[in-house]
Amino acid sequence: MAEKSTTQEVVNPDNGSGPDVVHDEEAGHQKSTVEVGELKKDLRNRHMQMIAIGGAIGAGLFVGSGGALSRGGPASLLICYSVVGIMLFFTCQALAELAVLYPVNGAFYTYVVRFLHPAWGFAVGWDYTLSWLIILPFELIAASITIEYWRSDINMAVWVTVFLVVLCVIQLFGVRGYGEVEFVLSMIKIAACAGFIILGIIINTGGVGDRGYLGTTFWRDPGAFQNGFNGFAGVFVIAAFSFGGTELVGLAAAESSNPRKAIPTASKQVFWRIAFFYILNLFIVGLILPATDNRLLNSSGANTKASPFVLAIEDAGIQILPSIMNAVITIAVISVANSCTFGSTRTMQALAQAGMGPKFLAYIDKQGRPLWCVLIQLMFGLLGYVGTAAESSEVFNWLLAISGLSYFLIWSSICLTHIRFRYVWKAQGFTLDQIPYKASFGVWGSYIGLGLNILCLIATFYSALYPTNDASPDAEVFFKQYLAAPIVISLYFGWRVYTRDWRLYIPAHDVDLTTNLRMRTPGSDEEGEPEVRTWKNLPARMFHGLF
């Protein structure tokens, strides 16, 4: 097999393992008969870095962590979020390797179709799309609820309209607009997290407020764990929802101006940012707020009055700061809503382009926007008006149940795909030296990531059956957490029946490795090669690992 440079694509390999298709070397994806444009490569390195962490810092951290603290205690909060964080590090590393080698639209969905089986790719692709479609109206409602902190006399529908209009305006500027907005909002969120760490330390040591030195008081009384193993298992679900969106860095590969440099950098920073902005913040929250605080029982959605961050500041008697923190939460929710439009539209367009959805969804206008996909996503945003009615809460709970397991399913699929890719890569005579960027822990990191994902699925299953110590299995409670499983299984077998393809997986020598492939030539001096690690540049590398 001939070696190619990083910027050269291999089309129609000699082994005949791919159909004759038309390619655009700059766009890096297969042309569709309904396309009139192509995705713009307008995302810069700074955009990719913020996308890597921006999608994960939202209401799940600032608000949902309060429910997790109440359910499992500070130790469960720390352990479960750390496990999911470690799992995501391995997952993002696997995704980075694939995205640099194949910077194509659809990213992980496309890789699942190519290296595992089209049926599974169809199932997880549409489940992932549906999740983002449904999360958007939820986030619009959540952002509207945050405004009630200041003004409860204005109907939430007014704010749903305002935020929906803002999202529509962002979409006019295409992927560059998404990148710039995410960059600015993520910087604000990061600054808020860093500021809270400093403030939390001051509160804990008695520097402000009348509670004096706290230390580890709340770890001893009411205790490090709450509600036994049931509470511990339940925190996994909240943690997964909090970290959802971290995988968007791989989805953005097709629209990055330099994926060879931007994707590895952003993926590596995921670990340090999760450790710094998530784990450290949650550890401090557990030190300055007791898990038995009754106000935390209402900590869900975007009820910022029950945000553990806001509550901790209020309990310290600090003025003005609670309003500032609430403003940050509003910004965080809008940022997640912005990510919704990106995650759903790009996956939906890739599905349609591959013949797994309506053909008109594959259309990309001359400004590089998947226009029909964007319109459908914004139409789903109109469900936010339905959600403003109190009696609609049950309907929304069932809609959100569709996204309950989506992240675990897509993350485990990424790890499994990377494992399969490495096997096929070797089977077809390629070497590791030809891979431009290799995952830090190789294929073993993906095995660990897959194993942790499976453990999280098991813990979620147990929590769905027994949410509390004295609970008995209840069908409604179970499916509100596990509804995604039967949906994905139905989509999987539905596609197999439709295509009459009953193979368990694609045989190694039938896998198309060369379409859209961007290898490196061993020993070449290529633009975007990783920086050589030395003691001299260690401080700079540590700084860039966080920021």
Side-chain angles (χ1 to χ4, degrees):
M1 185 70 67
E3 294 176 352
K4 302 290 180 183
S5 67
T6 301
T7 57
Q8 184 176 3
E9 295 186 18
V10 184
V11 184
N12 296 332
D14 294 337
N15 62 9
S17 61
D20 291 338
V21 293
V22 180
H23 291 271
D24 184 341
E25 183 173 353
E26 181 64 23
H29 67 277
Q30 181 176 331
K31 301 289 284 184
S32 170
T33 56
V34 296
E35 281 184 306
V36 297
E38 61 186 34
L39 294 175
K40 299 292 184 181
K41 294 181 176 293
D42 282 343
L43 290 178
R44 303 293 185 259
N45 187 31
R46 61 187 177 89
H47 298 140
M48 298 294 288
Q49 292 180 45
M50 288 300 122
I51 289 171
I53 190 63
I57 298 180
L61 170 64
F62 292 125
V63 183
S65 58
L69 176 62
S70 174
R71 186 166 188 173
S76 294
L77 186 71
L78 198 62
I79 294 171
C80 292
Y81 274 77
S82 297
V83 169
V84 176
I86 292 170
M87 176 183 71
L88 264 179
F89 170 72
F90 291 124
T91 302
C92 287
Q93 283 289 296
L95 181 57
E97 180 177 312
L98 293 169
V100 171
L101 196 58
Y102 300 97
V104 296
N105 188 27
F108 35 81
Y109 147 75
T110 306
Y111 307 145
V112 173
V113 169
R114 179 179 291 196
F115 300 115
L116 294 180
H117 196 281
W120 187 246
F122 174 81
V124 297
W126 274 112
D127 181 63
Y128 186 76
T129 300
L130 286 172
S131 297
W132 281 122
L133 288 173
I134 292 167
I135 288 173
L136 176 61
F138 171 77
E139 296 296 336
L140 291 175
I141 296 169
S144 302
I145 293 175
T146 63
I147 305 298
E148 290 188 344
Y149 188 86
W150 300 288
R151 294 289 301 271
S152 59
D153 58 325
I154 300 177
N155 193 294
M156 281 198 303
V158 174
W159 300 112
V160 169
T161 303
V162 171
F163 294 130
L164 192 57
V165 170
V166 169
L167 288 178
C168 290
V169 172
I170 294 173
Q171 298 311 306
L172 294 177
F173 297 95
V175 70
R176 187 61 180 268
Y178 163 71
E180 292 294 350
V181 169
E182 201 59 34
F183 178 80
V184 174
L185 298 186
S186 294
M187 289 296 291
I188 295 173
K189 292 186 289 185
I190 288 172
C193 288
F196 184 82
I197 290 172
I198 298 172
L199 177 62
I201 293 173
I202 295 173
I203 294 173
N204 183 261
T205 54
V208 65
D210 56 1
R211 294 187 296 179
Y213 176 76
L214 295 174
T216 58
T217 300
F218 297 138
W219 278 64
R220 297 190 300 271
D221 182 22
F225 294 93
Q226 300 291 318
N227 302 314
F229 181 75
N230 304 75
F232 179 85
V235 176
F236 274 115
V237 186
I238 303 173
F241 189 82
S242 300
F243 283 120
T246 310
E247 72 287 340
L248 287 175
V249 66
L251 201 62
E255 296 169 82
S256 170
S257 59
N258 187 0
R260 172 69 186 92
K261 181 179 181 180
I263 295 173
T265 301
S267 298
K268 286 179 179 179
Q269 290 172 345
V270 167
F271 173 77
W272 296 108
R273 289 177 175 175
I274 285 174
F276 186 77
F277 297 117
Y278 256 87
I279 308 305
L280 192 53
N281 267 280
L282 294 176
F283 174 66
I284 290 175
V285 164
L287 290 177
I288 61 179
L289 200 64
T292 53
D293 191 318
N294 290 329
R295 295 172 295 177
L296 294 177
L297 297 175
N298 298 317
S299 184
S300 61
N303 184 6
T304 53
K305 294 178 182 178
S307 164
F309 291 78
V310 174
L311 293 176
I313 296 173
E314 288 179 340
D315 289 350
I318 303 174
Q319 302 298 317
I320 302 177
L321 272 184
S323 289
I324 295 176
M325 195 67 212
N326 187 73
V328 171
I329 295 172
T330 306
I331 289 171
V333 174
I334 295 173
S335 173
V336 175
N338 188 39
S339 297
C340 288
T341 59
F342 183 82
S344 65
T345 55
R346 270 51 181 185
T347 309
M348 201 188 314
Q349 193 275 337
L351 283 159
Q353 191 175 20
M356 293 184 173
K359 290 183 179 180
F360 74 93
L361 293 178
Y363 173 78
I364 299 175
D365 69 9
K366 294 180 181 179
Q367 284 70 45
R369 299 170 297 196
L371 196 58
W372 288 108
C373 298
V374 170
L375 289 175
I376 288 176
Q377 173 66 89
L378 295 176
M379 286 175 63
F380 264 80
L382 297 176
L383 289 174
Y385 294 110
V386 179
T388 58
E391 59 271 15
S392 67
S393 60
E394 189 66 16
V395 176
F396 254 77
N397 286 337
W398 280 106
L399 287 175
L400 287 172
I402 296 175
S403 63
L405 294 178
S406 295
Y407 297 122
F408 286 141
L409 293 175
I410 199 68
W411 295 336
S412 58
S413 296
I414 290 170
C415 292
L416 183 60
T417 300
H418 181 243
I419 294 169
R420 175 69 175 162
F421 158 75
R422 281 292 189 94
Y423 172 79
V424 173
W425 186 260
K426 181 179 180 181
Q428 293 195 16
F430 291 92
T431 65
L432 294 180
D433 290 336
Q434 294 170 288
I435 299 177
Y437 172 76
K438 292 181 281 293
S440 297
F441 291 86
V443 71
W444 290 108
S446 293
Y447 275 114
I448 296 172
L450 178 62
L452 290 176
N453 267 291
I454 293 173
L455 286 177
C456 289
L457 284 169
I458 294 172
T460 305
F461 183 83
Y462 180 83
S463 177
L465 285 176
Y466 305 101
T468 59
N469 293 331
D470 55 351
S472 57
D474 181 273
E476 180 178 344
V477 174
F478 175 81
F479 282 108
K480 278 185 177 179
Q481 288 197 42
Y482 241 77
L483 183 61
I487 290 177
V488 169
I489 292 172
S490 299
L491 289 170
Y492 173 73
F493 284 105
W495 186 256
R496 280 187 173 274
V497 171
Y498 175 74
T499 59
R500 298 181 181 180
D501 183 358
W502 301 107
R503 296 177 300 175
L504 183 61
Y505 53 85
I506 303 174
H509 290 283
D510 290 342
V511 173
D512 176 15
L513 280 179
T514 53
T515 301
N516 305 123
L517 173 64
R518 297 199 174 193
M519 288 190 301
R520 70 180 293 269
T521 302
S524 64
D525 184 18
E526 300 168 345
E527 180 184 0
E529 283 292 314
E531 180 182 15
V532 178
R533 299 182 179 185
T534 64
W535 286 108
K536 185 177 180 180
N537 63 24
L538 178 61
R541 288 189 288 112
M542 290 180 66
F543 176 82
H544 290 302
L546 289 175
F547 303 100

